[in-house]
Amino acid sequence: MFDIKWIRDNAATFDEGLRRRGLEPQAASLIALDEKRRALLTSLQEAQSQRNAASKEIGKAKATKDEATASRLMTEVAELKQSIAKGEEDERQLDAEIRDALSVIPNTPREEVPFGTDETGNVEVRKVGTPGTFDFTPKQHFEIGEALGLMDFEAAQKISGARFVVTKGAIARLERAIGSFMLDLHTGEFGYTEVNPPLLVKDQAAYGTGNLPKFAEDLFKTTNDFWLIPTAEISLTNLVRESILDEAQLPMRMTAWTPCFRSEAGAAGRDTRGMIRQHQFSKVELVSVVTPEKALEEHERMTSCAEEVLKRLGLPFRTMLLCTGDMGFASQKTYDIEVWLPGQNTYREISSCSVCGDFQARRMDARFRPKDGGKPVYVHTLNGSGLAVGRTLIAVLENYQQADGSVIIPDALRPYMGGLAQIQKA
């Protein structure tokens, strides 16, 4: 969410940011709406002053028994009252029009973000690990899971439809082990506080992070007007909504392992087999709330925390700086971490780490009071996957598969698997 005053003062900068996003300029139309609103406010103030003055004159006229003047003034006050009421309604409509227009405008990218129209414009920042070689044709995760008898898409189809899966036995435990490992790493070594947040949120919470109103079709809604979270980012970030923190409370670093729910409305025909793109999946989310000066430093730190999960699991990956055309709605700058999947012979996204500036904070009215005693200013927010648990399960299955169909358990996960070193068909 942008401040209309900032747009008035920085119209060219605002429009340039939109241009880099592939959007048309909007500063002039927004400023025109705001000018109309400001002119209306001025006329309302004048009308209110006239009404107050006329009301005083009524008392004077009655005191001198000048009934004709009093009657004329009372008619004038009544007309002004009607005019003010209409003006106030017009003001509410203009306020809503400006708010609605601003609410669907994405955040503008930072200068260092490369220009591009789609994922082909993304830039590789680093590559870690070398994809392993196999003396057999590596299978995709769903082939491995089904052959082991521990991954059942047909049963899920009968229960819930497409884009769901039932995992069983050692693979179900492996997914639980991965989530537990991630939480222990982020809380034990990286200073994140574990949170168990609500999975159902109100409109204003989804609005605060930028999921509403623009992306309603990507979400699931209950019959009593709750939204199922597509990521714990919504719940965690909104923990600071409508609050004024002390600077000493920052940075706040939070993590949560939750189920996530997405309609995948725009993914028709994509990744229809397997667990890559599902309606229900689990993810360990990372959220940071910081001062503006620390935001970029925190972004690098958060990304390194997510990368460390893959390093500990021995999974090859690369980190990409997303271009302007591939970033998320609320992001100023985003790193995508892509893990190597030998079954697909390609890298696939497993984490997205974004710095949002004060974009979400303005929508949530989340501020902090500087330690020097100045007036409260908006916090800066960041979010990232640390990591997507289901996709990490996919990566483990594919990278650690063996010729006989079994899967070696990475060393880091064996304590969570009761010491089990290998998943084999029973």
Side-chain angles (χ1 to χ4, degrees), residues 150-358:
L150 302 176
M151 197 176 283
D152 194 335
F153 294 93
E154 288 187 12
Q157 173 81 27
K158 293 175 185 177
I159 298 167
S160 303
R163 297 194 186 277
F164 290 92
V165 67
V166 174
T167 57
K168 308 172 186 177
I171 286 185
R173 182 171 185 176
L174 179 59
E175 186 168 9
R176 175 161 55 93
I178 289 168
S180 296
F181 164 69
M182 291 176 184
L183 278 184
D184 286 350
L185 182 62
H186 293 312
T187 58
E189 296 190 30
F190 300 146
Y192 287 86
T193 298
E194 183 176 351
V195 178
N196 186 9
L199 306 182
L200 297 170
V201 297
K202 298 179 180 179
D203 288 0
Q204 58 263 39
Y207 177 87
T209 48
N211 298 82
L212 289 181
K214 193 173 178 65
F215 303 102
E217 68 170 6
D218 295 326
L219 309 179
F220 286 112
K221 191 174 188 179
T222 68
T223 54
N224 55 346
D225 293 332
F226 286 102
W227 299 91
L228 288 166
I229 61 168
T231 163
E233 172 199 344
I234 295 180
S235 303
L236 295 179
T237 309
N238 275 277
L239 288 175
V240 297
R241 72 174 293 111
E242 298 171 9
S243 61
I244 300 176
L245 307 170
D246 289 328
E247 185 173 349
Q249 295 175 262
L250 305 178
M252 290 178 61
R253 298 185 178 114
M254 298 169 282
T255 185
W257 174 21
T258 68
C260 304
F261 307 89
R262 294 184 186 173
S263 71
E264 298 294 347
R270 298 175 59 193
D271 299 307
T272 54
R273 288 217 62 191
M275 294 177 61
I276 288 284
R277 199 178 298 276
Q278 298 216 297
H279 290 314
Q280 175 185 321
F281 58 96
S282 67
K283 184 156 65 83
V284 171
E285 186 71 4
L286 305 174
V287 164
S288 294
V289 181
V290 300
T291 61
E293 297 77 18
K294 294 292 185 180
L296 288 182
E297 178 185 328
E298 185 70 13
H299 190 211
E300 300 297 327
R301 182 188 189 276
M302 176 180 285
T303 305
S304 70
C305 292
E307 290 176 337
E308 186 62 26
V309 175
L310 295 173
K311 291 178 181 177
R312 300 282 179 100
L313 295 176
L315 297 171
F317 67 90
R318 66 181 184 182
T319 299
M320 309 291 289
L321 174 60
L322 298 195
C323 70
T324 55
D326 200 30
M327 294 195 318
F329 178 80
S331 175
Q332 288 183 328
K333 180 181 180 180
T334 297
Y335 291 121
D336 265 11
I337 304 172
E338 300 178 345
V339 68
W340 175 254
L341 297 183
Q344 292 192 16
N345 195 39
T346 192
Y347 289 94
R348 295 298 301 266
E349 178 200 338
I350 198 167
S351 173
S352 191
C353 297
S354 299
V355 57
C356 301
D358 63 4

Side-chain angles (χ1 to χ4, degrees), residues 360-397:
Q360 294 177 325
R362 288 182 178 278
R363 298 170 80 102
M364 298 185 303
D365 191 22
R367 294 172 289 167
F368 75 98
R369 196 181 309 279
K371 58 186 175 184
D372 63 9
K375 69 176 186 177
V377 297
Y378 288 107
V379 298
H380 281 207
T381 60
L382 304 94
N383 63 82
S385 307
L387 307 161
V389 176
R391 291 197 177 191
T392 306
L393 173 66
I394 290 169
V396 169
L397 293 176

Side-chain angles (χ1 to χ4, degrees), residues 3-14 27 31 34 38:
D3 179 4
I4 190 65
K5 181 180 184 302
W6 182 89
I7 293 174
R8 284 201 311 269
D9 297 340
N10 301 274
T13 301
F14 175 72
I31 291 171
D34 189 50
R38 295 168 78 190

Side-chain angles (χ1 to χ4, degrees), residues 16-245:
E16 172 60 15
L18 295 185
R19 184 196 68 78
R20 296 184 70 219
R21 278 277 198 171
L23 300 173
E24 294 297 318
Q26 298 189 48
S29 61
L30 289 166
I31 291 171
L33 270 177
D34 189 50
E35 291 294 344
K36 186 176 179 181
R37 174 183 167 278
R38 295 168 78 190
L40 179 59
L41 283 173
T42 299
S43 68
L44 280 172
Q45 290 170 353
E46 292 172 352
Q48 188 64 54
S49 295
Q50 291 173 14
R51 179 186 174 188
N52 292 341
S55 296
K56 289 181 181 178
E57 291 301 317
I58 290 171
K60 292 179 182 178
K62 287 192 171 185
T64 60
K65 302 190 183 302
D66 186 351
E67 294 301 331
T69 299
S71 178
R72 176 179 58 79
L73 289 170
M74 289 171 69
T75 299
E76 181 182 338
V77 167
E79 290 173 349
L80 283 169
K81 182 179 179 181
Q82 288 184 339
S83 175
I84 290 169
K86 182 181 183 305
E88 289 174 341
E89 177 59 28
D90 290 343
E91 181 198 357
R92 283 190 289 271
Q93 291 180 3
L94 278 171
D95 280 341
E97 192 173 347
I98 293 170
R99 184 176 62 252
D100 290 347
L102 290 172
S103 69
V104 295
I105 298 173
N107 206 348
T108 50
R110 294 185 57 85
E111 289 183 4
E112 65 267 27
V113 175
F115 176 77
T117 57
D118 54 34
E119 61 184 16
T120 60
N122 298 341
V123 176
E124 184 179 298
V125 176
R126 54 188 161 267
K127 187 177 285 183
V128 177
T130 302
T133 57
F134 296 83
D135 56 7
F136 60 94
T137 301
K139 295 181 174 65
Q140 295 195 57
H141 67 281
F142 52 85
E143 297 171 309
I144 299 167
E146 287 177 331
L148 289 168
L150 302 176
M151 197 176 283
D152 194 335
F153 294 93
E154 288 187 12
Q157 173 81 27
K158 293 175 185 177
I159 298 167
S160 303
R163 297 194 186 277
F164 290 92
V165 67
V166 174
T167 57
K168 308 172 186 177
I171 286 185
R173 182 171 185 176
L174 179 59
E175 186 168 9
R176 175 161 55 93
I178 289 168
S180 296
F181 164 69
M182 291 176 184
L183 278 184
D184 286 350
L185 182 62
H186 293 312
T187 58
E189 296 190 30
F190 300 146
Y192 287 86
T193 298
E194 183 176 351
V195 178
N196 186 9
L199 306 182
L200 297 170
V201 297
K202 298 179 180 179
D203 288 0
Q204 58 263 39
Y207 177 87
T209 48
N211 298 82
L212 289 181
K214 193 173 178 65
F215 303 102
E217 68 170 6
D218 295 326
L219 309 179
F220 286 112
K221 191 174 188 179
T222 68
T223 54
N224 55 346
D225 293 332
F226 286 102
W227 299 91
L228 288 166
I229 61 168
T231 163
E233 172 199 344
I234 295 180
S235 303
L236 295 179
T237 309
N238 275 277
L239 288 175
V240 297
R241 72 174 293 111
E242 298 171 9
S243 61
I244 300 176
L245 307 170

